[in-house]
Amino acid sequence: QVQLVESGGGLVQAGGSLRLSCAASGSTDNINVMGWYRQAPGKQRELVATISLGGKTNYADSVKGRFTISRDNAKNTVYLQMNSLKLEDTAVYYCNADSLPWVVPKRIYWGQGTQVTVSS
């Protein structure tokens, strides 16, 4: 099993920055892709960014150029640097990880979420 714990959320003004962290524990040697998702009130959970073991990144169009995802495999931690924050970025942000291709059935893990609130 893998446990994911997010930290770094909080209240920031529009245009400000915030850095989220997600630390994995447990069977961390089975972790493949890691990422961040978010869910705003009344909306479905959406992809923010993902990063592979080798460092290949993927971003939602809404955050491209403003957010940067990174990971430290030795620390089993993934980060999300959030710059130029907008009001629409307000959401609960969830850390995510999946298992390596040879792990069957495929495993998907989620953190408990951390609140990010952007004020005007």
Side-chain angles (χ1 to χ4, degrees):
Q1 269 294 338
V2 171
Q3 293 79 45
L4 303 173
V5 179
E6 304 97 333
S7 62
L11 175 65
V12 298
Q13 291 188 337
S17 297
L18 206 60
R19 191 190 195 207
L20 306 183
S21 298
C22 172
S25 61
S27 301
T28 56
D29 54 339
N30 291 330
I31 293 175
N32 187 21
V33 175
M34 299 188 75
W36 291 93
Y37 292 71
R38 67 186 181 186
Q39 187 167 22
K43 299 182 67 177
Q44 290 191 309
R45 183 178 57 201
E46 65 176 356
L47 172 77
V48 176
T50 61
I51 183 167
S52 71
L53 270 175
K56 181 181 179 181
T57 58
N58 178 58
Y59 297 93
D61 288 341
S62 60
V63 307
K64 200 171 299 181
R66 299 188 298 119
F67 291 8
T68 302
I69 189 170
S70 61
R71 68 190 290 174
D72 185 334
N73 292 329
K75 295 181 178 179
N76 299 310
T77 301
V78 64
Y79 307 93
L80 185 68
Q81 179 65 48
M82 310 164 67
N83 298 326
S84 302
L85 283 162
K86 304 175 180 179
L87 294 177
E88 64 196 68
D89 295 319
T90 295
V92 177
Y93 284 71
Y94 295 93
C95 182
N96 164 269
D98 69 5
S99 56
L100 291 162
W102 51 87
V103 176
V104 290
K106 182 179 180 179
R107 306 292 182 89
I108 300 175
Y109 308 100
W110 293 96
Q112 81 285 355
T114 185
Q115 177 71 47
V116 172
T117 302
V118 183
S119 64
S120 61

